[in-house]
Amino acid sequence: MSESARPGEKMLARAKEKARPTVRTFGRPYRGKEGQWAWLAHRVTGVAIILFLFAHVADTALVGWGPEAYNKVVSVYHNPVIRLLELGLVAAVIYHALNGTRIMLIDFFPKLADHQRRLFYGEMAVFVTAMVPITIIIGLPVWDAWF
Amino acid sequence: MAVREAPPAGPNGPAEPVKIGRDRPAGRGAEFWWWLFMRLSGLVLLVLAVGHVLIMHVIGDGVD
């Protein structure tokens, strides 16, 4: 550190330092790949779910105004468009649950970080498998209403 | 947290280990217990939410 470097030598050393593979080159397996989209989707579904939760607390609280008021408001959920939104809600909850489980697994068993991509695709497989029958069950009344 | 073994050394020397997500807080301080609480409560919420949907809408034609 003490030897006075020739002009440019310091910059050269710094450039060499930068060229060394660091966390930039190896350390972020999530960046731009599956993990990043999983991360984004986790937050988006989280916000969607908490917004529904507010509405859900409100509609449930309507029981306090008697059965008619409650039934009237809850009948909104039979609207086909709302049913499609409900399908989205179920998808969001299932994704959030599965992805949260994947994150917890990696948190509690760090060695699973080696398999984070495989875990993600396994999660997607479970998600799709769950969503197929759910889409049919929730979607059938919508289909009947529109087609 | 999650630290993976370092990938094979490149031409310019060994690379740093791969890290994913949040580090588990060291020790057994408040930070650690909150870390644990966030994960365990998530697990509890999962069971409660899925159970709620099953009871209300699936098992025995659901509650009306």
Side-chain angles (χ1 to χ4, degrees):
Chain A
M1 210 67 245
S2 56
E3 74 257 25
S4 58
R6 275 185 297 126
E9 207 162 37
K10 234 179 191 171
M11 264 166 72
L12 207 72
R14 212 171 285 159
K16 229 176 161 185
E17 179 71 23
K18 268 192 178 163
R20 241 184 73 235
T22 60
V23 80
R24 268 169 200 280
T25 36
F26 288 114
R28 299 207 165 130
Y30 267 23
R31 180 168 279 187
K33 302 205 189 85
E34 296 88 349
Q36 183 173 332
W37 296 108
W39 173 88
L40 184 64
H42 199 71
R43 268 127 192 97
V44 170
T45 54
V47 170
I49 291 166
I50 197 72
L51 289 180
F52 165 74
L53 198 56
F54 292 139
H56 194 45
V57 168
D59 68 48
T60 307
L62 282 174
V63 175
W65 286 358
E68 300 102 62
Y70 178 78
N71 286 337
K72 202 171 175 186
V73 170
V74 168
S75 70
V76 169
Y77 287 111
H78 296 312
N79 179 303
V81 176
I82 304 293
R83 269 192 91 92
L84 282 185
L85 284 176
E86 268 186 322
L87 182 59
L89 173 73
V90 173
V93 169
I94 291 181
Y95 172 81
H96 203 82
L98 290 174
N99 196 54
T101 309
R102 180 183 66 95
I103 292 169
M104 271 187 272
L105 279 174
I106 295 176
D107 276 350
F108 285 127
F109 308 101
K111 279 189 178 159
L112 284 177
D114 270 337
H115 309 287
Q116 54 96 6
R117 275 188 81 224
R118 235 167 301 178
L119 277 171
F120 173 77
Y121 284 111
E123 176 196 338
M124 284 297 105
V126 176
F127 176 76
V128 171
T129 312
M131 282 313 290
V132 166
I134 291 170
T135 305
I136 293 171
I137 292 169
I138 298 183
L140 261 182
V142 180
W143 185 270
D144 289 342
W146 284 348
F147 303 106
Chain B
M1 112 123 177
V3 179
R4 197 170 77 169
E5 286 161 45
N12 301 313
E16 306 197 1
V18 166
K19 289 181 71 185
I20 293 174
R22 191 192 191 288
D23 285 333
R24 175 186 299 185
R28 289 289 181 270
E31 194 67 19
F32 169 80
W33 295 110
W34 285 117
W35 177 88
L36 194 63
F37 168 75
M38 281 295 163
R39 277 141 192 85
L40 293 186
S41 65
L43 218 52
V44 172
L45 280 171
L46 195 161
V47 175
L48 287 175
V50 173
H52 175 63
V53 172
L54 287 181
I55 291 172
M56 296 301 282
H57 301 293
V58 180
I59 295 169
D61 279 347
V63 179
D64 212 343

